[in-house]
Amino acid sequence: MRSILLALCVLVATAGCGPAPAPQLGYGPVCGAVTTNSATFVLGADQPGAKLRLLLATNDNWATPVTTSSSVAGNTASKLIVSGLQPGTKYHYSVEIAGRQQATGQFRTFPTGAASVQFAFGSSLRTEQTGITGLAAAPQHEIQLFLKTGDLI
């Protein structure tokens, strides 16, 4: 009886002690504050100490990135500012955590001088409640400026 009780205690004490799950993207990426030669990204992992890596390229071939940035974060958002970009250029980005690609996207730097700009605006962007997917459609319309006017309470 004593050995069964001891085995049961060991089993309960070690339950859930397997390898920790791989870190995942917990927040973002959000790309904003885009200028003619820079962009700011906000992103975060779901585990403390996870290493985030941001790759930028002028095509979706990550073998030859234009630039990379990395940050150690977790349970909080990290802010990565990428500078030295070319004006009026479309960039693709990829976010990696622990060497695994977690998210991709694209943006375009603003051109120098006068130019046409695609912009949109909206509010109440909580798609889980409304089913509105306007912001998700922004990349296919190459929206360069989005103004969020408020939120539905």
Side-chain angles (χ1 to χ4, degrees), residues 30-41 54-59 62 64-69 80-94 105-112:
V30 175
C31 175
V34 177
T35 68
T36 57
N37 62 2
S38 68
T40 300
F41 290 83
L54 174 70
L55 291 90
L56 290 182
T58 53
N59 57 41
W62 309 117
T64 56
V66 172
T67 185
T68 63
S69 298
L80 298 173
I81 300 173
V82 182
S83 59
L85 304 178
Q86 297 298 310
T89 303
K90 183 178 186 177
Y91 287 93
H92 297 261
Y93 61 86
S94 172
Q106 59 190 0
F107 69 96
R108 182 180 299 275
T109 53
F110 282 97
T112 56

Side-chain angles (χ1 to χ4, degrees), residues 6-152:
L6 180 60
L8 185 57
C9 288
V10 169
L11 183 62
V12 170
T14 60
C17 290
Q24 300 289 317
L25 195 60
Y27 180 81
V30 175
C31 175
V34 177
T35 68
T36 57
N37 62 2
S38 68
T40 300
F41 290 83
V42 179
L43 59 160
D46 65 350
Q47 294 180 22
K51 185 167 183 171
L52 306 170
R53 184 172 158 202
L54 174 70
L55 291 90
L56 290 182
T58 53
N59 57 41
D60 57 6
N61 178 4
W62 309 117
T64 56
V66 172
T67 185
T68 63
S69 298
S70 63
S71 175
V72 174
N75 298 339
T76 60
S78 287
K79 183 167 135 177
L80 298 173
I81 300 173
V82 182
S83 59
L85 304 178
Q86 297 298 310
T89 303
K90 183 178 186 177
Y91 287 93
H92 297 261
Y93 61 86
S94 172
V95 176
E96 292 179 353
I97 300 179
R100 293 183 20 223
Q101 187 179 66
Q102 299 283 318
T104 60
Q106 59 190 0
F107 69 96
R108 182 180 299 275
T109 53
F110 282 97
T112 56
S116 296
V117 176
Q118 293 280 82
F119 73 95
F121 64 93
S123 67
S124 303
L125 298 176
R126 299 182 72 183
T127 59
E128 70 275 4
Q129 293 177 351
T130 64
I132 298 170
T133 57
L135 188 57
Q140 67 190 6
H141 296 288
E142 295 197 18
I143 301 298
Q144 292 171 293
L145 175 66
F146 186 87
L147 177 63
K148 184 173 183 286
T149 59
D151 199 6
L152 179 64

